[in-house]
């Protein structure tokens, strides 16, 4: 029988119901007597809330009515879209009509929108702040002064990794139902156990001691559905208060205003290089615009900035670094996790530094990476305290170099025809796969294997990969495995899906639970046959001994007759994390007349350890790279000076369509494995991290000008071409 791990299996678990139009999302969940919740949100980025007047007789609740629950603005709104009140009605349209009748009296306050203005502290993002700089950190290694003293060339600039909006296909929403004893919540979330734990902390005083959270099908998330949002908590409370099912679902504009944004970091730096292009040292200030000053959120989000600062050494030999990290509050939507969460910013900054250095020195961009790359690592701690489990970086460059030269050849052919063509390259600084994952594997009486995961995949195809792992251990076809997930009733505990964690950590839990279940079944069969377990051979889904043969179904029934339940649960903890890496490169053409950019070719060479399913992995590369390209070329979050979100829907906020999808050639290198049972490292974030600087470098090469901001819009390119 062919091995299942490493086989490109289509998503046989997730896709059939979606293809047939039978996927059930939050909005599809309805109960008789449901009340629809519509949230009244602040029209101002910063304002005192003087009064809120609800329509007479309406089911309408403000923060004053809900004193023990966080989330609603009470006396001061600190970003546009912040929830102030909620109305309920038996019809969604009636609820919206009632919401329009709610009268809010504001006293507008000065809004802090520009981060440079925020640093001056003339205006505060919240009245009780002593300073808009709410968090600080410092990362310092080596002798930076000596590095600059010995420098042949010093490159100085400010590079901006702009604010983006995660833009999941499905907005956030939830349905809550309380039967008088038990609260059940269906939510478009990445974090069912986190939501359950939060509700169990907040609602026992209202008679709720039993909570079930279910994740139905989810139309995308990219990190933006990790947080426990106030709407989820409030509709759960209202279901208890009213005794009615409560349903809430964001409009697109509400989603853009109230769901966490991503990125929004800038680095002001000086970098010291020697004559050959060796990076001697970096000194700078990394500023993160945290958005609205909500302590419970920004204290967590600031970790992305400190991670970016510590990952600033990349995969390079950087021995001198001095970076001040500032977390700055403004009156914009709060920043939270978004595909990569700190690692895209780190990669962008170090790769920009190298490319700007290469341009200043007249060195090829690939060559400057060869000069600075670490050769090979195994359980390596960087000078800044980051950990790389394994990597063969110089070997990766050797493998990728012919492809780079092929792109240069194509570029030069285009240039000979008078075209503006350029090639870009970037190396990924990524850490992935964190925490603990739990899985339960059981053998059903009909001989099928059932896997239950504590993770909550939402489109990545992890369930199919879990089935492959179990099928590998039991030497059966993957079609004989069922996988369940996304329900807190199914398994005792679990984790959130994020950080490229689910397959590596959750899959390792499936692997270990499967091994233990097979060993248990060998003992059962041995006892039935009256022989030692080690005398029983298991092969191709059957137990063999000269005294007899048993199928998996026979073993399941025999175990139950013995009072042995044929299942095993295992929690796998990874310490500390994995470090996938890769090198991406692209060829672009810039239109001289319009400034538009077309990606002609994109090549990715990634080392993510063992690939359980190459089809799923390549799908992540295609989607992830396009997401990174989107940040480089299209996505721009724009606020008015008063703090109104101008790019509040897809008419104004540009993301690529199928027409902008690019040709991608992906190669899995598998040079270095992780120490997990699977040997995998994680791939969900890596292509997004790589693509943004790769494309920017290609555009720079095409137009022969340095670029410091994103997106590289047509008007920016034309301005640079004419300067």
């Amino acid at each position: 029988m062919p091995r299942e791990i490493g086989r490109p299996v289509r998503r046989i678990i997730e896709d059939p119901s979606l293809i047939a139009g039978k996927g059930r999302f939050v909005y599809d969940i309805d109960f008789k007597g449901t009340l629809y919740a519509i949230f009244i949100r602040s029209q101002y980025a910063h304002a005192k809330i003087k009064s809120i007047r609800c329509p007479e007789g309406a089911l309408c609740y403000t923060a004053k009515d809900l004193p023990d629950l966080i989330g609603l603005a009470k006396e001061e709104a600190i970003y546009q879209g912040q929830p102030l009140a909620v109305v309920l009605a038996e019809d969604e349209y009636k609820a919206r009509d009632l919401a329009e009748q709610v009268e809010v009296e504001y006293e507008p306050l000065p809004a802090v929108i520009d981060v440079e203005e925020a640093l001056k502290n003339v205006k505060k993002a919240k009245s009780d702040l002593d300073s808009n700089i709410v968090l600080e950190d410092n990362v310092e290694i080596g002798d930076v002064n000596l590095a600059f003293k010995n420098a042949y060339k010093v490159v100085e600039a400010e590079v901006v990794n702009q604010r983006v909006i995660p833009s999941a296909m499905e907005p956030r929403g939830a349905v809550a139902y309380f039967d008088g004893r038990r609260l059940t919540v269906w939510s478009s979330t990445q974090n069912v156990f986190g939501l359950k734990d939060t509700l169990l902390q907040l609602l026992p005083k209202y008679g709720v001691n039993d909570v079930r959270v279910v994740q139905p099908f989810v139309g995308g998330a990219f990190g933006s559905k990790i947080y426990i949002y106030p709407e989820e908590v409030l509709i759960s409370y209202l279901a208890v208060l009213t005794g009615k099912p409560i349903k809430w679902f964001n409009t697109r504009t509400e989603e853009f205003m109230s769901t966490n944004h991503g990125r929004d970091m800038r680095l002001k730096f000086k970098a010291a290089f020697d004559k050959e292009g060796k990076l001697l040292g970096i000194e700078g200030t990394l500023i993160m615009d945290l958005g609205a000053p909500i302590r419970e959120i920004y204290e967590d989000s600031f970790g992305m900035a400190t991670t970016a600062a510590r990952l600033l050494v990349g995969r390079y030999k950087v021995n001198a670094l001095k970076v001040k990290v500032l977390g700055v509050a403004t009156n914009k939507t709060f920043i939270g996790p978004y595909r990569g969460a700190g690692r895209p910013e780190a990669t962008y900054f170090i790769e920009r530094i190298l490319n700007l250095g290469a341009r200043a020195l007249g060195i090829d961009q690939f060559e400057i990476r060869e000069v600075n790359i670490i050769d090979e690592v195994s359980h390596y701690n960087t000078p800044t305290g980051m950990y790389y489990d394994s990597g063969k970086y110089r070997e990766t460059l050797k493998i990728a170099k012919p492809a780079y030269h092929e792109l240069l050849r194509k570029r030069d052919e285009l240039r000979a025809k008078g075209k503006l063509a350029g090639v870009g390259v970037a190396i990924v600084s990524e850490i992935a796969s964190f925490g603990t994952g739990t899985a339960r594997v059981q053998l059903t009486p009909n001989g099928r294997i059932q896997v239950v995961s504590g993770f909550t995949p939402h489109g990545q195809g992890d369930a199919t990969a879990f089935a492959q792992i179990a099928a590998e251990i039991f030497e059966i076809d993957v079609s004989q495995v069922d996988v369940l997930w996304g329900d807190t009733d199914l398994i005792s505990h679990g984790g959130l899906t994020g950080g490229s964690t689910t397959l590596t950590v959750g899959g390792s839990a499936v692997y270990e639970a499967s091994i233990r279940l097979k060993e248990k079944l060998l003992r059962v069969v041995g006892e039935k046959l009256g022989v030692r377990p080690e005398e029983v051979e298991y092969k191709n889904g059957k137990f063999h001994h000269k005294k007899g043969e048993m199928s998996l179904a026979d073993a399941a029934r025999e175990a139950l007759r013995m009072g042995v339940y044929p299942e095993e649960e295992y929690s796998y903890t990874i310490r500390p994390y994995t470090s996938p890496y890769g090198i991406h490169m692209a060829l672009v053409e810039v239109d001289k007349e319009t400034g538009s950019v077309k990606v002609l070719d994109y090549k990715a060479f990634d080392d993510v350890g063992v690939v359980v399913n190459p089809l799923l992995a390549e799908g992540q590369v295609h989607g992830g790279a396009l997401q990174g390209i989107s940040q480089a070329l299209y996505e721009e979050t724009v606020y008015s000076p008063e703090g109104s979100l101008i790019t509040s829907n897809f008419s104004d906020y540009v993301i690529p369509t199928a027409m902008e999808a690019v040709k991608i050639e992906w190669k899995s290198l598998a040079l270095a494995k992780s120490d997990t049972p699977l040997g995998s490292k994680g791939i969900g974030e890596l292509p997004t991290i790589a693509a943004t600087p790769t494309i920017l470098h290609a555009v720079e090469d095409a137009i022969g000008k340095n670029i410091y901001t994103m997106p590289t819009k047509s008007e920016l390119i034309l301005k640079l071409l004419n300067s």
Side-chain angles (χ1 to χ4, degrees):
M1 178 171 290
R3 286 176 56 88
E4 288 295 336
I5 293 178
R7 198 159 70 89
V9 179
R10 294 188 178 188
R11 301 195 315 181
I12 60 171
I13 304 293
E14 301 89 345
D15 284 356
S17 58
L18 291 172
I19 293 170
K22 296 179 180 179
R24 199 177 188 209
F25 295 81
V26 163
Y27 198 78
D28 300 317
I29 298 169
D30 278 308
F31 292 96
K32 185 178 180 180
T34 293
L35 295 177
Y36 290 82
I38 302 296
F39 285 86
I40 291 83
R41 302 181 182 276
S42 176
Q43 299 175 25
Y44 290 87
H46 195 197
K48 291 284 187 184
I49 308 300
K50 299 189 72 175
S51 67
I52 301 176
R53 290 186 290 276
C54 294
E56 186 174 348
L59 290 174
C60 179
Y61 304 88
T62 70
K64 293 180 180 178
D65 305 308
L66 309 166
D68 299 317
L69 298 174
I70 63 170
L72 294 185
K74 296 181 180 180
E75 298 175 351
E76 186 176 351
I78 52 176
Y79 66 96
Q80 187 189 42
Q82 185 175 14
L84 310 178
V86 60
V87 296
L88 305 176
E90 64 275 7
D91 177 85
E92 182 178 0
Y93 299 100
K94 183 178 179 181
R96 294 202 179 277
D97 289 340
L98 287 171
E100 290 180 0
Q101 296 173 41
V102 175
E103 297 179 2
V104 182
E105 185 179 359
Y106 299 93
E107 180 186 322
L109 296 172
V112 183
I113 302 303
D114 182 77
V115 73
E116 295 293 343
E117 289 298 313
L119 288 169
K120 296 175 183 177
N121 276 312
V122 175
K123 300 179 290 185
K124 302 295 194 301
K126 195 174 183 214
S127 298
D128 60 1
L129 288 181
D130 295 326
S131 170
N132 291 320
I133 302 173
V134 292
L135 291 168
E136 295 187 44
D137 193 19
N138 290 282
V139 179
E140 186 172 356
I141 59 168
D143 191 334
V144 172
N145 292 331
L146 181 62
F148 283 93
K149 182 180 179 181
N150 293 333
Y152 171 77
K153 178 77 72 173
V154 173
V155 176
E156 188 170 358
E158 179 179 8
V159 290
V160 178
N161 196 276
Q162 85 273 29
R163 175 177 288 247
V164 293
I165 301 175
S167 307
M169 184 182 296
E170 179 198 28
R172 292 185 296 114
V175 174
Y177 178 83
F178 184 61
D179 64 7
R181 183 190 67 84
R182 187 177 217 216
L183 174 68
T184 303
V185 180
W186 293 261
S187 179
S188 181
T189 182
Q190 299 173 240
N191 192 2
V192 294
F193 284 95
L195 180 53
K196 176 181 178 177
D197 291 345
T198 298
L199 294 174
L200 284 173
Q201 290 172 17
L202 295 175
L203 298 183
K205 65 180 71 176
Y206 304 105
V208 179
N209 296 295
D210 187 8
V211 174
R212 176 192 180 196
V213 177
V214 181
Q215 176 208 56
F217 278 101
V218 173
F222 311 114
S224 69
K225 296 175 182 176
I226 289 175
Y227 280 141
I228 309 307
Y229 287 88
E231 296 96 338
E232 295 170 296
V233 175
L234 288 168
I235 70 157
S236 300
Y237 168 75
L238 292 172
V240 177
L241 182 68
T242 64
K244 299 279 189 177
I246 308 293
K247 184 174 184 176
W248 150 74
F249 197 77
N250 265 349
T251 65
R252 180 59 61 185
T253 294
E254 285 181 299
E255 185 75 2
F256 274 23
M257 288 181 174
S258 65
T259 299
N260 74 252
H261 292 179
R263 313 289 189 247
D264 213 343
M265 295 187 205
R266 60 189 61 205
L267 179 69
K268 300 178 181 179
F269 73 89
K270 294 190 301 183
F273 292 88
D274 70 11
K275 196 170 185 178
E276 284 71 40
K278 180 175 174 54
L279 181 55
L280 304 177
I282 304 169
E283 183 175 13
T285 302
L286 193 159
I287 302 168
M288 181 180 186
D289 183 343
L290 295 162
I294 303 171
R295 182 177 294 277
E296 297 88 353
I297 294 176
Y298 72 62
E299 287 185 345
D300 183 51
S301 297
F302 186 65
M304 294 186 286
T306 59
T307 294
R310 285 168 172 78
L311 264 179
L312 198 56
V313 296
R315 299 309 201 234
Y316 304 110
K317 303 168 188 173
V318 182
N319 296 312
L321 177 76
K322 184 178 182 181
V323 177
K324 178 183 282 294
V325 189
L326 303 178
V328 182
T330 61
N331 294 118
K332 292 184 273 193
T333 301
F334 50 89
I335 292 290
Y338 173 59
R339 202 167 188 170
R343 287 93 81 198
E345 297 89 333
T347 295
Y348 180 76
F349 293 145
I350 183 59
E351 294 301 302
R352 296 299 296 121
I353 288 169
L354 281 178
N355 253 52
L356 291 170
R359 292 177 63 80
L361 290 162
I363 297 175
D364 177 81
Q365 58 182 307
F366 199 98
E367 181 184 334
I368 201 169
R369 287 166 173 82
E370 290 179 310
V371 169
N372 288 284
I373 198 73
I374 301 170
D375 292 336
E376 183 175 338
V377 299
S378 178
H379 302 292
Y380 171 75
N381 291 298
T382 73
T384 57
M386 304 307 292
Y387 167 79
Y388 299 157
D389 59 349
S390 59
K392 297 183 178 181
Y393 308 129
R394 189 168 296 280
E395 187 174 346
T396 298
L397 290 184
K398 288 180 181 178
I399 293 170
K401 195 168 186 178
Y404 175 70
H405 284 295
E406 175 65 16
L407 290 182
L408 290 182
R409 184 187 64 77
K410 291 181 179 179
R411 178 201 68 181
D412 293 343
E413 287 178 355
L414 290 168
R415 287 181 175 179
K417 297 176 182 178
K419 306 286 188 180
L420 289 180
V423 171
V425 63
I427 293 175
V428 180
S429 296
E430 160 77 316
I431 55 173
S433 301
F434 312 93
T436 299
T438 302
R440 187 173 70 249
V441 180
Q442 71 175 32
L443 176 62
T444 62
N446 64 352
R448 294 183 66 81
I449 298 295
Q450 184 185 83
V451 174
V452 180
S453 175
F455 279 108
T456 51
H458 43 276
Q460 299 91 335
D462 292 302
T464 294
F466 291 159
Q468 289 180 257
I469 294 165
E472 173 95 359
I473 301 302
F474 285 98
E475 301 177 37
I476 57 177
D477 188 80
V478 68
S479 63
Q480 294 177 252
V481 182
D482 302 308
V483 182
L484 304 174
W485 73 96
D487 187 337
T488 59
D489 269 8
L490 292 175
I491 196 166
S492 57
H493 58 280
L496 60 90
T497 287
S500 303
T501 295
T502 302
L503 182 55
T504 296
V505 179
S508 292
V510 172
Y511 183 96
E512 294 291 351
S514 298
I515 291 287
R516 284 158 175 75
L517 176 56
K518 188 165 78 169
E519 291 172 348
K520 177 188 278 189
L521 294 170
L522 284 167
R523 293 194 294 271
V524 167
V525 173
E527 185 171 336
K528 172 65 177 177
L529 298 177
V531 300
R532 294 192 304 274
E534 55 268 28
E535 295 178 28
V536 180
E537 181 186 15
Y538 182 86
K539 188 176 181 181
N540 294 336
K542 290 186 177 181
F543 300 89
H544 301 273
H545 191 272
K546 61 184 179 182
K547 287 188 175 183
E549 182 180 277
M550 291 179 69
S551 67
L552 283 170
D554 294 334
R557 289 189 287 269
E558 190 58 43
L560 291 170
R561 280 194 290 269
M562 292 180 182
V564 177
Y565 201 69
E567 72 169 28
E568 283 292 321
E569 185 170 304
Y570 190 87
S571 293
Y572 180 83
T573 300
I574 190 167
R575 295 186 178 89
Y577 42 76
T578 66
S579 58
Y581 60 96
I583 180 168
H584 287 214
M585 54 191 72
L587 171 67
V588 306
E589 181 182 337
V590 177
D591 189 291
K592 295 178 181 178
E593 301 298 324
T594 66
S596 63
V597 178
K598 184 176 182 180
V599 181
L600 302 177
D601 203 350
Y602 193 100
K603 300 181 186 298
F605 297 82
D606 295 327
D607 191 355
V608 294
V610 173
V611 175
V612 173
N613 185 324
L615 197 62
L616 296 178
E618 189 163 359
Q620 290 294 307
V621 174
H622 282 252
L626 187 59
Q627 211 159 358
I629 292 168
S630 183
Q631 183 179 0
L633 298 179
Y634 309 120
E635 296 186 48
E636 183 176 28
T637 308
V638 181
Y639 280 87
S640 73
E642 297 75 29
S644 293
L645 180 61
I646 294 173
T647 51
S648 61
N649 54 56
F650 285 131
S651 295
D652 301 307
Y653 188 83
V654 181
I655 61 173
T657 68
M659 294 297 293
E660 287 76 41
V662 304
K663 174 188 174 184
I664 295 176
E665 181 183 336
W666 178 64
K667 184 175 179 61
S668 173
L669 301 180
L671 298 174
K673 300 178 182 180
S674 71
D675 290 336
T676 66
L678 297 175
S680 63
K681 286 173 173 273
I683 196 172
E685 296 156 305
L686 189 149
T688 301
I689 297 169
T692 302
T694 298
I695 295 300
L696 193 66
H697 296 161
V699 176
E700 273 189 335
D701 185 46
I703 66 175
K705 303 283 186 176
N706 293 342
I707 300 173
Y708 302 105
T709 63
M710 293 188 294
T712 52
K713 298 183 294 183
S714 297
E715 51 264 44
L716 171 64
I717 292 174
L718 290 175
K719 182 179 178 181
L720 290 171
L721 285 173
N722 294 321
S723 63

